[in-house]
Amino acid sequence: MRMCVLSCVTSSLPLRSVTSVSRLGVLLFISAAACVDKAPATSGTDSAAVARTAPVVTSVRVNEGTYGMASRIKWMLSRDSSGIIAMVDPVGVENEAIPNGFFYGSESRNFQARMDSVWDVAPSPDWGTIAFARAYVMNPRELDSIPPAMLQEVARRTGLDTATVRNGSFASSGMSMARAIAHAGTITVPADTRAVGASDGAAPKMYPVALGWRVRWTQDGLIALGSSPARVQDDEPSVTWASLDPKSGAFHGTLPLNARVIEQQWVNGPVLDISVPVDMQTAAAIPVRTAGRSFVIESVRGAIVARETTAGADSTSRTFTIGSGKALAATRGGRYILALAPRAVAASYESPVEAVVYVLGW
């Protein structure tokens, strides 16, 4: 019998690197990227032996942009632990803001996505819509002001007018005249990822709003867009909030009086700093359960493995190798495993370790 997990449908929107605008990287995936061949069971082969076929493993880098002087790895899980959002949050010299990269994966919705160059990201209360703010940075280098050509280029790429770009920009460096904007957008997770046009419907939708240094949701389904930072600091909060209705696209400069903003429930993981070595040898075991079978995701001597712990499993149950590194978190079925892994190619000024998500097709 040939069992096939749907091949991933990828929508990639790369832009050529330019000095004035940060690089855009967007990948959308429908299901896992593999087909698994399983031989039919013969009269002398039990079904349990067939089920022990090793999972297909692929990996996705959480952030393909810079990791800055240091980067915080953080994540959050959905209420039922079937979904995960992982983020790489880098900082520059003296805690200057640097755009982040994130990964979203959902077992229950059979969908995953990742994006570089964002200021913030937040899932809707039902985890069916991802709100984010793209980061565009304009750095005039030795000039003492942003030239009109840079404003026009950002306006062209975002679809905003130059006045909106200029008025919505904020200082992004304490050492130069660099300025940045936030551009609000959403990704709507399709209800049926197997439907025709599902990947097209999940393509990022951008709104004509230069706001979103911080992004949140309200309990009644509005997107709360935070005001630009008052200081050039990566952890600077937003003081005021505007509202965006993702269904109608209506924008208001303030939140409704009765709006209740949902605070992000991030788990703060390790900080990657080139001057500080990272312990890659061990990590806490993570239990997962899939297709009626139980596993423990373990990190031992720099390798991540899945060891079966199903009650009543016989002595022939196997331990599967997932990949190199150290596991940090996993969704309940073990499809998405956030980990630290050695970089395939690391420059002298970069951390030799990066955040990846191992995607398992059980």
Side-chain angles (χ1 to χ4, degrees):
M1 176 177 63
R2 178 174 174 84
M3 298 185 65
C4 182
V5 183
L6 287 182
S7 298
C8 69
V9 178
T10 307
S11 172
S12 180
L13 305 176
L15 296 179
R16 292 185 178 274
S17 176
V18 295
T19 58
S20 60
V21 185
S22 53
R23 177 180 178 272
L24 168 63
V26 183
L27 294 177
L28 303 178
F29 302 86
I30 304 298
S31 188
C35 289
V36 184
D37 281 319
K38 293 188 178 179
T42 64
S43 58
T45 306
D46 60 28
S47 59
V50 176
R52 285 194 294 272
T53 301
V56 177
V57 182
T58 59
S59 64
V60 180
R61 300 172 67 193
V62 176
N63 181 27
E64 295 188 355
T66 179
Y67 272 59
M69 297 296 292
S71 290
R72 167 75 70 178
I73 311 301
K74 57 186 183 180
W75 64 89
M76 68 174 79
L77 293 169
S78 61
R79 183 172 300 178
D80 63 359
S81 298
S82 68
I84 187 171
I85 290 182
M87 176 181 280
V88 174
D89 185 1
V91 297
V93 178
E94 298 182 353
N95 200 38
E96 287 184 346
I98 293 180
N100 310 326
F102 78 86
F103 172 92
Y104 166 95
S106 173
E107 294 177 346
S108 61
R109 294 176 180 270
N110 205 35
F111 181 85
Q112 64 191 67
R114 65 163 300 279
M115 184 180 292
D116 293 324
S117 299
V118 299
W119 292 124
D120 204 2
V121 61
S124 61
D126 66 353
W127 278 60
T129 304
I130 311 160
F132 61 89
R134 285 276 299 123
Y136 288 86
V137 179
M138 300 170 284
N139 192 343
R141 306 298 179 184
E142 293 81 10
L143 301 180
D144 57 4
S145 63
I146 303 296
M150 281 191 179
L151 292 171
Q152 293 167 4
E153 178 64 8
V154 174
R156 184 185 68 82
R157 292 174 181 255
T158 60
L160 304 172
D161 59 72
T162 54
T164 299
V165 172
R166 182 187 299 106
N167 296 334
S169 68
F170 54 87
S172 61
S173 173
M175 303 175 65
S176 71
M177 293 300 297
R179 296 186 70 81
I181 69 164
H183 188 199
T186 57
I187 297 173
T188 301
V189 179
D192 181 3
T193 56
R194 293 172 175 81
V196 176
S199 60
D200 293 336
K205 178 181 179 181
M206 308 306 297
Y207 300 86
V209 178
L211 201 62
W213 167 249
R214 294 290 180 258
V215 178
R216 301 289 187 271
W217 286 82
T218 67
Q219 290 190 341
D220 53 358
L222 295 177
I223 299 173
L225 299 176
S227 57
S228 299
R231 299 183 304 156
V232 183
Q233 295 290 295
D234 186 75
D235 54 359
E236 183 74 5
S238 291
V239 177
T240 60
W241 297 84
S243 64
L244 175 68
D245 186 339
K247 295 180 180 178
S248 66
F251 172 77
H252 297 279
T254 60
L255 286 175
L257 293 177
N258 60 347
R260 298 180 60 183
V261 177
I262 301 172
E263 285 302 319
Q264 305 281 60
Q265 300 299 316
W266 291 104
V267 176
N268 287 318
V271 175
L272 302 183
D273 188 318
I274 190 172
S275 63
V276 180
V278 179
D279 176 15
M280 297 289 287
Q281 298 304 304
T282 60
I286 305 171
V288 300
R289 184 173 178 81
T290 179
R293 303 166 68 198
S294 300
F295 293 86
V296 171
I297 308 300
E298 298 177 323
S299 304
V300 182
R301 295 186 296 276
I304 303 172
V305 299
R307 178 172 57 84
E308 186 166 8
T309 58
T310 306
D314 59 32
S315 59
T316 61
S317 60
R318 295 174 55 184
T319 296
F320 303 120
T321 299
I322 295 171
S324 61
K326 172 180 178 178
L328 300 176
T331 50
R332 66 181 183 183
R335 179 184 294 186
Y336 302 107
I337 300 174
L338 172 64
L340 297 181
R343 283 180 180 265
V345 179
S348 59
Y349 54 86
E350 292 180 325
S351 169
V353 176
E354 64 179 345
V356 303
V357 174
Y358 288 110
V359 184
L360 277 63
W362 292 96

